[in-house]
């Protein structure tokens, strides 16, 4: 573990050095991503130099051990070492992200670079164990939606309460106020940090301009209340899924989101912001790339899984549509039952036979209670069953995205190989030509370039192996979680159906003597 | 029309269910027993087999069957309405025309959506549709049967000559049925009826009994009409929910078939929804039979009672006119005897009408109260039964899932 931290630290510093000297080359190397992609790969170095100031002080130590460093760097880096990831994230929230890694790294920038505080190591292990095992004790609730402000600038503030025994948090119970764009901001950060290396980041709830506008404008009607409740529930599920992930829960952005009372506004989540437009451009570029990259899949597991997820996606969407229809019809049933109840009451009033009149009024009351029951059942249909399916449809999109990332990583690796080949060919040509003076300089340059590309090829291969490994682990975890999740929610849903039937029995059994009393 | 081919076979139906529900004490007089044991559905026409068993000498044979169409029933009803002697009686309401519109529309939609469903799903939907066709079919048979049974169990109607012809005449009745001219006459009659409504709401009622009945029936009719349409909507929503369960079950099945991970409980869930939808479907159809059909039937019956009131009101108007004519004749001293006789006739007619009307309306109320009681009890019992079986299914599945 220590060695790995050591390696990753040195690796980062090397990369920084290369970055400082070779930014132009890095630009040329990026033929498969758009120039200003916010999504940093391990080779994109500008962000690193921009954000962190720690590694520079370590420059002095590098040169001697460069070869050793690379040799060791082919070892697997721990997937859960947090200090690597924060550095690589770009910063929609620049205020926070660099601080933590700098602090971590400055812990270790001592004369003895190898001196990693063992206490820190242990707590990482503990957290991972806690996260994976039964001691995973964290519960998040999103509650108390409150409207803040007026008119089109108004927004809903939600209270996010965390109850946990995990040691990565300062307290065992605490709450903060967050708005919807904060959640989107969190997701954006996590996605940019983790998706490209193969982690399945739970997607955030979707925006809804129509829904939100109604709330802003101040319509206090049923549909805007329902909208807020739907959103509140979705945000809660989103956070719970995020913290259940053993890696994500340790991310400083997540911890900060849950703990700190002030959070810088995530402006880049707005649809029409610069970052928003960038996202759209990137999405388009990705779609084009997906079509042009033809990967030689050497691993049957990935092919199988991709097919599996395609099928699952289709089926879940269909099921989701069926359940949505069910919700709609049940709501209709509730409305029609209420309408009938009123009509039956009128009929009872009109009836001149006393006992029958009373029975009809009782019937009206029963039907009124039943319409309430149907409405509650429709809510259960929606919030338990339908939303579960909707969440998983979105999650599977994230899974598919991660598979695509692997393809991209592969593609980058291939491109680096092509470049290396070109450089080697160029070198060979130079050797054949015979112009001594200019040649030496050119030869040196080419030699440097070849070394650089050799490094990139090796890095590309490493990245590819790494992402493949991560994806396998993530998919395994996802499948387990899915089975558990479905089981829990389905049982809850069935129990709601049971409750409805129990109530029906109660109501009709109360009515029966009334009907029998008609004489 | 594949589904029609299914229904073309002769379906045996017994005289149960609706018959005994909407009107008690029908068909227990052995001297004249009528039922509709079979029916045939050909395109849009339903052909009923009317079977009669009798000990009365007025009929040629003790047991016989004839084939009748819906229009024949309407003809019989209209001749009864037009018979003067029956003016003081509540004429049993004519059975409504067989209406396959709803299942036909559904079948059309099913045909259109076939591509988007799995084979099993389509088969189940088709099954549901066939069941619905069958239900509509059964209902129309029973409602025609009740009409005949009310006539046969009535001391006056059972002796009606046209009724006898209807039961016995072994040829096609279409010769005797309405032609276009008469149908126009029927339309005209409805217009007169509206005028009658104005008439009886305007006429001052001296008799307290009739006064109360008038107020009650007018109000009750509008309320029951509303309740019927709301009940129809409610039942239809219930059927939609049951149908949705089919789709959910089918997709869960495909999911569990394709899913390689151990999600065995998806299969159980699919199975559960399949069973649930059958129960829900039964809840919907029982509700329709016990509640919606009950309301529908009595809505028509109350209209028939109202018609009796109209006829009585017209008789009263006639009597009052005759009185005025008599006074005029006395003044002019011309045709006094004639006028007097006419006035006497009108009075007599009005009195007979009032007397038999009172009897009819009283027994009608008794019938109605009993029918409501029976149906409401049965509906409540069926709801409890279905809810209990739903609960058993659900709890079974929950146990199964929890134990895994």
């Amino acid at each position: 573990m220590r060695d790995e931290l050591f390696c990753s630290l040195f690796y980062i510093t090397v990369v920084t050095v290369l970055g400082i000297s070779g930014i132009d080359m890095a630009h040329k190397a990026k033929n498969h991503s758009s120039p200003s992609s916010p999504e940093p790969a391990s080779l994109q170095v500008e962000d690193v130099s921009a954000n962190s100031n720690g590694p520079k002080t370590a420059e002095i130590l590098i040169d001697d051990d460069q070869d050793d460093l690379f040799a060791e760097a082919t070892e697997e880096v721990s997937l859960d070492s947090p200090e690597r990831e924060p550095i690589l994230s770009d910063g929609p929230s620049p205020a926070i992200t660099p601080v933590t890694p700098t602090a971590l790294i400055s812990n270790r920038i001592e004369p003895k670079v190898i001196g990693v505080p063992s206490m820190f190591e242990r707590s990482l292990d503990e957290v991972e164990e806690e996260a994976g095992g039964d001691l995973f004790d964290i519960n998040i609730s999103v509650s108390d939606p409150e409207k803040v402000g007026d008119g089109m600038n108004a927004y809903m503030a939600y209270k996010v309460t965390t109850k946990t025994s995990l040691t990565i948090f300062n307290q065992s119970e605490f709450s903060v106020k967050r708005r919807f764009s904060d959640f989107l901001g969190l997701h954006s950060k996590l996605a940019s940090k983790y998706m490209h290396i193969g982690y399945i980041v739970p997607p955030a709830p979707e925006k809804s301009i129509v829904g939100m506008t109604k709330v802003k404008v101040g319509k206090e009607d049923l549909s805007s209340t329902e909208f807020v409740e739907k959103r509140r529930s979705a945000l809660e599920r989103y956070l719970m899924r995020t913290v259940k992930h053993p890696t994500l829960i340790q991310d400083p952005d997540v911890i900060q989101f849950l703990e700190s009372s002030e959070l810088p506004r995530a402006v880049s989540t707005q649809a029409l912001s610069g970052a928003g437009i960038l996202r759209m451009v990137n999405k388009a570029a990705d779609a084009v790339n997906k079509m042009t990259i033809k990967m030689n899949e050497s691993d049957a597991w990935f092919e199988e899984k991709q097919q599996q997820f395609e099928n699952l996606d289709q089926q879940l969407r269909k099921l989701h549509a069926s359940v949505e229809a069910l919700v709609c019809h049940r709501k209709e049933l509730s409305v029609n039952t209420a309408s009938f109840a009123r009509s039956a009451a009128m009929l009872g009033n009109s009836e001149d036979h006393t006992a029958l009149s009373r029975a009809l009024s009782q019937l009206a009351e029963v039907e009124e209670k039943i319409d309430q029951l149907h409405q509650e059942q429709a809510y259960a249909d929606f919030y338990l069953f339908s939303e579960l399916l909707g969440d998983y449809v979105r999650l599977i999109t994230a899974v598919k995205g991660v598979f695509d990332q692997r393809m991209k990583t592969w593609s980058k690796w291939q491109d680096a190989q092509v470049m290396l080949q070109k450089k080697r060919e160029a070198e060979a040509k130079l050797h054949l030509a015979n112009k001594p003076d200019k040649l030496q300089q050119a030869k040196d340059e080419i030699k440097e370039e070849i070394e650089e590309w050799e490094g990139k090829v090796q890095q590309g291969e490493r990245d590819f192996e790494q992402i493949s490994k991560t994806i396998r682990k993530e998919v395994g975890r996802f499948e387990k979680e899915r089975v558990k999740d479905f089981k829990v929610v389905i049982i809850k849903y069935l129990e709601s159906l049971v409750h409805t039937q129990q109530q029906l029995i109660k109501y009709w059994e109360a009515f029966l003597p009334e009907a029998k009393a008609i004489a | 029309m594949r589904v029609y081919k299914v229904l073309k076979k002769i379906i045996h139906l017994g005289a149960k269910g609706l018959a005994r529900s909407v009107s008690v004490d029908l068909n227990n007089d052995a001297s004249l027993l009528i039922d509709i044991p079979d029916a045939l559905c050909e395109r849009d026409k339903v052909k009923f087999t009317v079977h009669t068993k009798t000990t009365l000498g007025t009929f040629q044979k003790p047991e016989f069957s004839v084939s009748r169409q819906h229009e024949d029933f309407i003809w019989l009803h209209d001749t009864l309405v037009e018979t003067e002697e029956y003016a003081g009686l509540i004429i049993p309401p004519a059975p409504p025309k067989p209406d396959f519109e709803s299942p036909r529309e559904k079948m059309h939609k099913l045909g259109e959506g076939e591509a988007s469903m799995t084979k099993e799903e389509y088969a189940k939907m088709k099954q549901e549709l066939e069941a619905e066709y069958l239900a509509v079919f059964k209902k129309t048979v029973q409602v025609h049967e009740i009409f005949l049974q009310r006539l046969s169990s009535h001391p006056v109607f059972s002796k009606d000559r046209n009724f006898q012809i209807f039961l016995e005449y072994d040829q096609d009745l279409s010769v005797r049925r309405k032609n276009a001219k008469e149908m126009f006459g029927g339309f005209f009659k409805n217009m007169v009826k509206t005028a009658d409504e104005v008439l009886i709401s305007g006429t001052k009622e001296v008799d307290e009994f009739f006064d109360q009945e008038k107020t009650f029936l007018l109000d009750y009719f509008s309320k029951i009409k509303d309740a019927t349409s709301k009940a129809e909507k409610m039942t239809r929503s219930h059927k939609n929910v049951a149908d949705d369960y089919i789709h959910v079950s089918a997709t869960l099945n495909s999911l569990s078939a394709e899913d390689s991970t151990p999600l065995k409980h998806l299969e159980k869930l699919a199975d559960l929804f399949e069973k649930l939808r059958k129960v829900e479907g039964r809840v919907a159809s029982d509700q329709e039979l016990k509640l919606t059909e009950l309301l529908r039937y009595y809505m028509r019956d109350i209209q028939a009672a109202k018609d009796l009131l109209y006829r009585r009101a017209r008789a009263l108007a006639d009597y009052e006119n005759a009185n005025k004519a008599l006074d005029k004749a006395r003044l002019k001293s011309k045709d006094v005897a004639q006028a007097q006789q006419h006035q006497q006739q009108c009075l007599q007619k009005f009195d007979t009408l009032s007397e038999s009307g009172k009897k009819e309306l009283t027994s009608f109320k008794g019938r109605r109260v009993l029918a409501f009681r029976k149906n409401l009890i049965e509906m409540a019992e069926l709801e409890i039964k279905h809810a209990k079986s739903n609960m058993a299914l659900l709890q079974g599945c929950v146990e199964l899932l929890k134990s895994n």
Side-chain angles (χ1 to χ4, degrees), chain A residues 231-242:
Chain A
R231 178 163 275 194
R232 182 210 67 78
S233 172
L235 291 173
E236 196 172 272
R237 293 193 308 273
Y238 163 66
L239 283 182
M240 276 308 285
R241 286 214 174 87
T242 306

Side-chain angles (χ1 to χ4, degrees), chain B residues 10 74 107-108 114 134 141 154 205 259 286 375 391:
Chain B
I10 297 179
I74 301 300
M107 162 134 157
H108 194 67
E114 186 176 353
L134 205 61
V141 165
H154 195 282
E205 188 55 69
D259 214 348
D286 283 341
N375 278 280
M391 214 166 79

Side-chain angles (χ1 to χ4, degrees), chain B residues 111-271:
Chain B
E112 282 176 354
E114 186 176 353
S116 66
M117 296 188 216
T118 63
K119 257 169 93 179
E120 286 168 354
E121 205 174 336
Y122 181 72
K124 290 223 174 84
M125 287 298 286
K126 208 173 103 166
Q127 216 180 53
E128 261 309 296
L129 202 59
E130 286 172 7
E132 208 173 307
Y133 259 104
L134 205 61
V136 171
F137 196 65
K138 269 192 183 173
K139 249 193 305 168
T140 194
V141 165
Q142 283 172 341
V143 104
H144 284 76
E145 196 178 64
I146 290 165
F147 172 68
L148 294 178
Q149 286 173 346
R150 274 193 62 185
L151 293 176
S152 69
S153 57
H154 195 282
V156 179
F157 291 130
S158 55
K159 300 192 180 72
D160 181 82
R161 180 79 192 115
N162 285 316
F163 184 45
Q164 196 178 345
I165 292 171
F166 178 93
L167 291 174
E168 235 184 358
Y169 188 64
D170 57 1
Q171 308 268 321
D172 203 342
L173 278 181
S174 49
V175 192
R176 291 175 175 268
R177 280 199 274 117
K178 283 186 178 184
N179 56 21
K181 195 165 109 192
E182 284 188 345
M183 283 191 61
F184 181 71
F187 171 70
F188 181 68
K189 231 194 292 180
N190 279 332
M191 297 240 307
V192 174
K193 209 190 269 186
T194 331
D196 282 339
E197 255 184 76
V198 178
L199 183 69
I200 68 164
S201 34
T203 322
K204 186 162 181 310
E205 188 55 69
V206 188
D207 189 329
E208 199 187 303
F209 173 80
F210 281 101
D211 190 35
Q212 271 183 336
E213 282 298 303
K214 186 176 77 177
T215 324
F216 168 66
L217 286 175
L218 284 176
D219 184 40
Y220 201 74
F221 180 72
S222 70
K223 301 279 158 56
I224 201 172
K225 193 165 170 203
D226 186 60
T228 308
S229 85
K230 300 279 158 66
E232 272 173 14
K233 267 184 158 167
M234 187 170 72
T235 319
R236 225 174 313 148
S237 290
H238 235 128
K239 286 211 187 111
N240 284 339
V241 170
D243 282 345
D244 284 334
Y245 279 7
I246 296 181
H247 298 298
V248 171
S249 168
T251 319
L252 283 171
N253 254 324
S254 342
L255 248 178
S256 72
E258 290 198 28
D259 214 348
S260 61
T261 58
L263 265 179
K264 264 184 269 127
H265 40 267
L266 276 187
E267 205 182 314
K268 293 179 199 134
L269 201 64
D271 194 40

Side-chain angles (χ1 to χ4, degrees), chain B residues 4-34:
Chain B
Y4 267 125
K5 289 209 186 99
V6 169
L7 291 174
K8 247 186 153 185
K9 41 184 188 179
I10 297 179
I11 302 161
H12 183 80
L13 300 151
K16 50 185 160 104
L18 195 61
R20 273 186 274 118
S21 299
V22 294
S23 203
V24 285
D25 66 37
L26 284 180
N27 226 33
N28 49 14
D29 180 7
S31 64
L32 185 62
L33 290 169
I34 304 177

Side-chain angles (χ1 to χ4, degrees), chain A residues 305 308 311-312 315-316 318-319 322-323 325-326 329-330 332-333 336-337 339-340 343-344 346-347 350-353 356 359-360 363 367 374 385 479 482-483 486-487 490-491 493-495 497-498 501-502 504-505 508-509 511-512 515-519, chain B residues 116 121 216 219-220 223-224 226-227 230-231 233-234 237-238 240-241 244-245 247-248 251-252 254-255 258-261 263 265 269 272-273 280 291 295 365 368-369 372-373 376-377 379-381 383-384 387-388 390-391 394-395 397-398 401-402 404:
Chain A
K305 280 295 169 188
Q308 228 177 24
N311 292 341
L312 191 59
Q315 296 296 338
L316 281 182
K318 194 159 173 233
L319 187 59
S322 300
V323 176
L326 175 63
H329 284 140
R330 222 194 281 274
E332 246 175 53
L333 177 59
N336 288 339
T337 309
S339 165
F340 173 72
S343 189
M346 302 264 281
L347 188 64
S350 175
E351 174 64 60
D352 63 352
H353 186 272
L356 181 56
L360 286 172
L363 179 68
E367 294 286 358
H374 284 311
F385 205 3
E479 308 262 74
R482 172 163 76 100
V483 171
F486 264 74
K487 193 163 159 184
I490 294 291
I491 289 179
Y493 175 62
L494 292 183
E495 287 179 338
L497 288 172
V498 169
Q501 298 301 319
Q502 278 171 334
L504 277 175
I505 293 176
W508 286 112
E509 281 184 339
F511 174 72
L512 198 52
K516 289 188 171 161
I518 304 171
Chain B
S116 66
E121 205 174 336
F216 168 66
D219 184 40
Y220 201 74
K223 301 279 158 56
I224 201 172
D226 186 60
K230 300 279 158 66
K233 267 184 158 167
M234 187 170 72
S237 290
H238 235 128
N240 284 339
V241 170
D244 284 334
Y245 279 7
H247 298 298
V248 171
T251 319
L252 283 171
S254 342
L255 248 178
E258 290 198 28
D259 214 348
S260 61
T261 58
L263 265 179
H265 40 267
L269 201 64
L272 172 70
F273 269 94
E280 282 301 324
L291 188 63
L295 292 171
K365 182 193 304 249
R368 186 180 86 245
V369 172
F372 267 75
R373 178 178 191 276
L376 289 177
I377 293 175
M379 182 171 82
E381 286 174 344
E383 289 269 356
I384 295 171
K388 283 191 173 152
N390 264 342
M391 214 166 79
L394 287 164
Q395 278 172 333
C397 192
V398 171
L401 291 179
K402 278 184 172 166
N404 246 14

Side-chain angles (χ1 to χ4, degrees), chain A residues 289-506:
Chain A
N289 286 338
K290 201 168 160 183
M291 290 191 277
T292 55
I293 297 177
K294 266 265 160 8
M295 179 167 161
N296 304 335
E297 187 56 78
S298 53
D299 193 339
W301 185 91
F302 282 91
E303 217 172 308
E304 250 177 61
K305 280 295 169 188
Q306 262 183 302
Q307 190 55 50
Q308 228 177 24
F309 280 113
E310 265 311 317
N311 292 341
L312 191 59
D313 188 31
Q314 264 180 15
Q315 296 296 338
L316 281 182
R317 276 177 203 268
K318 194 159 173 233
L319 187 59
H320 188 213
S322 300
V323 176
E324 282 188 318
L326 175 63
V327 173
C328 185
H329 284 140
R330 222 194 281 274
K331 280 197 183 146
E332 246 175 53
L333 177 59
S334 161
V335 166
N336 288 339
T337 309
S339 165
F340 173 72
R342 281 191 295 270
S343 189
M346 302 264 281
L347 188 64
N349 279 340
S350 175
E351 174 64 60
D352 63 352
H353 186 272
T354 339
L356 181 56
S357 167
R358 193 174 55 237
L360 286 172
S361 305
Q362 291 291 357
L363 179 68
E365 271 182 43
V366 168
E367 294 286 358
E368 205 180 306
K369 288 195 205 134
I370 289 179
D371 108 68
Q372 271 303 107
L373 212 58
H374 284 311
Q375 199 174 51
E376 284 165 18
Q377 185 59 60
Y379 282 148
D381 289 343
F382 179 73
Y383 282 106
L384 291 174
F385 205 3
S386 176
E387 288 282 78
L388 171 76
L389 295 170
D391 284 350
Y392 270 89
V393 166
R394 281 192 296 276
L395 265 168
I396 289 189
T397 310
V399 173
K400 294 207 286 193
V402 140
F403 277 93
D404 290 343
Q405 289 295 336
R406 179 173 170 268
M407 263 205 326
K408 269 169 102 165
T409 311
W410 180 84
S411 170
K412 252 204 193 94
W413 174 28
Q414 297 304 310
D415 290 345
Q417 282 181 330
V418 166
M419 259 329 251
L420 180 63
Q421 188 58 28
K422 278 199 191 136
K423 298 293 176 190
R424 288 209 171 117
E425 283 169 6
E427 188 188 40
K429 263 200 208 146
L430 278 181
H431 277 295
L432 291 174
N434 261 315
K435 287 188 203 129
D437 306 311
K438 296 178 203 165
L439 200 56
Q440 195 47 47
Q441 192 190 28
K443 276 197 191 166
D444 285 340
E445 267 179 33
I446 271 286
K447 204 166 181 184
E448 264 178 46
E449 283 177 10
I450 288 183
E451 274 175 19
E452 179 196 340
W453 283 101
E454 275 175 351
K456 284 195 183 158
V457 167
Q458 284 179 333
Q459 185 56 49
E461 188 176 2
R462 266 199 304 271
D463 286 344
F464 181 70
E465 279 170 16
Q466 188 57 61
I467 198 178
S468 300
K469 186 163 176 264
T470 306
I471 290 181
R472 276 180 189 264
K473 193 163 160 213
E474 283 286 284
V475 166
R477 195 188 146 263
F478 176 78
E479 308 262 74
K480 258 194 358 198
E481 277 300 309
R482 172 163 76 100
V483 171
K484 249 198 306 177
D485 215 351
F486 264 74
K487 193 163 159 184
V488 165
V489 174
I490 294 291
I491 289 179
K492 248 202 217 157
Y493 175 62
L494 292 183
E495 287 179 338
S496 83
L497 288 172
V498 169
H499 171 80
T500 300
Q501 298 301 319
Q502 278 171 334
Q503 292 298 102
L504 277 175
I505 293 176
K506 207 171 81 173

